[in-house]
Amino acid sequence: MSYYDKPPAKPRRALGWRIFAPLLVFVLIMAAYSAYWLWARAQLAKGIDDWIAAERARGMTVEFSDKRFGGYPFRFALTLDDPVYGDPRRSQRWQGETLQLVMQPWNWSHVIARSPGENRIFDRGLEGWARLGPKSAGSLSWSEAGIERVSIAVDDVAFDLAGALGGSASAFEFHLRPYPGEPDTLQLETHWQSIRLDRSVPGLEPLGPSLGPSILRAEATGALSALAITPDLARWPASILRRGGEIRVPQVLVNWGPLDAGARTTLRRNEAGDLAGALGVRIENADRLRAALEAEDRLDTDLERAISALEAASTDGRFLDLSIRGDGLYLLGTQVIPIDFATPLG
């Protein structure tokens, strides 16, 4: 076949719109999402401004030197420089270097807060401060039924509490949430990897200034009702007990220098309205504690007997069980340690 006898070439099929369809869909989705993000940011900004105005109207102090809203595309991020929040009527105030509040666009019931740098707390003339590490954060989750969880996770922190207690801590966590199925009962858990104090606690010098890995788990019935009536956290336990609630601490593990101990307790009021409860304590490595007390010339006969009794009761994972009354701790009906529980918990 000659060149002139070849059949004509088939015309090339033009590139159709299908090749651009995925790109067009992506552009439309991003445009719709961007519009949603801008609308949601405006709603959040208005809600925050309304909250600030409402707090100021009821006499609270809310201040900052600059406010920025960003985070596009995967979050909403509000940043406040030099934030201050407080109640001048109670001489209470918190101030920080920077506060950042972060929320994901697809989850409107969870916010993460960060305040790296120095944070100062003022309370009736007392001043404390904490310098938080860059990875420290707090979070708050809620639903239509109310708050579901409050958490604080601190990677590193240096602190001083009104000059009375100072030091540093690492890997500290705090979690608070309602008990499942019992919205008026709160569960608390806190634990840390290490705490180092600037100096030993007076009266506890043999234990030293360092606390190793420790944990505390507690729960309280009627806690939210009591908090609504008594916002002062220092009086909260007394309010819980006075209203018929119960405070339970199923687990305490403390590693404090030579002391390796555990405890559990319950507190309530009996039918007569008197404080009642139970305390279980146990100890590990009693010989190490004895050696530390002897080195400080603190191991007298009574303390040696107490440690030996506690050591014997702690075998096979058991506890030494004591009763709690308003005036102290009792063993088999006999007061062994006088403590005025009635005054702070009355």
Side-chain angles (χ1 to χ4, degrees):
M1 180 181 296
S2 67
Y3 172 82
Y4 296 102
D5 294 330
K6 290 183 179 180
K10 294 182 179 180
R12 288 188 176 182
R13 182 176 297 177
L15 292 176
W17 62 271
R18 296 180 187 83
I19 195 172
F20 298 103
L23 178 61
L24 179 60
V25 171
F26 175 77
V27 171
L28 291 175
I29 290 175
M30 288 303 300
Y33 175 79
S34 298
Y36 160 76
W37 191 92
L38 292 172
W39 171 83
R41 185 188 69 170
Q43 297 300 309
L44 288 172
K46 181 180 183 304
I48 292 168
D49 289 342
D50 291 346
W51 179 84
I52 292 174
E55 288 296 288
R56 288 173 173 171
R58 72 184 188 95
M60 302 297 286
T61 299
V62 183
E63 298 175 353
F64 46 86
S65 62
D66 188 36
K67 179 177 69 171
R68 303 180 299 280
F69 218 131
Y72 180 85
F74 298 121
R75 59 180 183 168
F76 302 111
L78 171 68
T79 301
L80 301 176
D81 293 335
D82 306 311
V84 177
Y85 180 76
D87 187 346
R89 296 161 295 187
R90 297 185 178 182
S91 299
Q92 296 173 336
R93 187 172 83 256
W94 163 82
Q95 66 184 48
E97 295 182 13
T98 302
L99 175 64
Q100 185 181 60
L101 302 176
V102 177
M103 179 181 290
Q104 295 172 323
W106 50 86
N107 187 355
W108 286 62
S109 59
H110 180 224
V111 63
I112 297 174
R114 295 186 178 90
S115 184
E118 187 165 277
N119 291 258
R120 290 192 171 271
I121 300 175
F122 303 84
D123 185 5
R124 297 180 177 89
L126 299 178
E127 179 180 352
W129 58 265
R131 189 172 295 108
L132 303 179
K135 296 181 180 179
S136 301
S139 69
L140 176 65
S141 301
W142 65 91
S143 65
E144 294 182 356
I147 294 176
E148 291 187 342
R149 188 180 183 91
V150 178
S151 295
I152 298 173
V154 177
D155 59 340
D156 291 293
V157 58
F159 60 89
D160 183 277
L161 304 180
L165 183 65
S168 60
S170 66
F172 174 88
E173 293 191 22
F174 173 90
H175 306 283
L176 186 66
R177 68 169 188 170
Y179 191 87
E182 299 180 22
D184 203 26
T185 298
L186 286 182
Q187 287 183 317
L188 177 150
E189 177 179 334
T190 182
H191 55 86
W192 58 82
Q193 184 64 31
S194 68
I195 295 178
R196 182 167 183 83
L197 305 177
D198 291 338
R199 57 185 179 275
S200 298
V201 177
L204 300 176
E205 289 85 357
L207 301 183
S210 298
L211 287 79
S214 303
I215 188 169
L216 165 66
R217 291 190 176 97
E219 54 192 40
T221 62
L224 290 180
S225 299
L227 182 61
I229 297 174
T230 309
D232 188 347
L233 294 181
R235 302 175 61 186
W236 194 18
S239 179
I240 292 172
L241 298 174
R242 188 167 52 248
R243 292 174 54 82
E246 183 178 69
I247 298 174
R248 300 184 292 265
V249 183
Q251 184 182 39
V252 179
L253 297 175
V254 177
N255 188 338
W256 189 349
L259 177 64
D260 187 358
R264 60 189 183 189
T265 186
T266 59
L267 278 175
R268 70 182 72 85
R269 290 193 176 277
N270 57 26
E271 295 180 355
D274 299 324
L275 186 68
L279 171 66
V281 291
R282 57 173 287 102
I283 191 173
E284 301 284 350
N285 301 317
D287 288 339
R288 188 171 62 177
L289 179 59
R290 288 190 185 96
L293 292 170
E294 286 179 340
E296 296 286 337
D297 197 23
R298 298 288 188 90
L299 188 63
D300 56 26
T301 302
D302 291 339
L303 190 52
E304 167 61 33
R305 288 175 179 173
I307 293 175
S308 296
L310 182 56
E311 181 182 24
S314 301
T315 57
D316 301 324
R318 295 179 298 169
F319 288 78
L320 176 65
D321 293 318
L322 304 169
S323 297
I324 299 176
R325 302 181 188 177
D327 59 350
L329 298 176
Y330 286 74
L331 177 63
L332 300 176
T334 302
Q335 188 186 63
V336 291
I337 302 179
I339 301 175
D340 183 13
F341 289 113
T343 299
L345 297 176

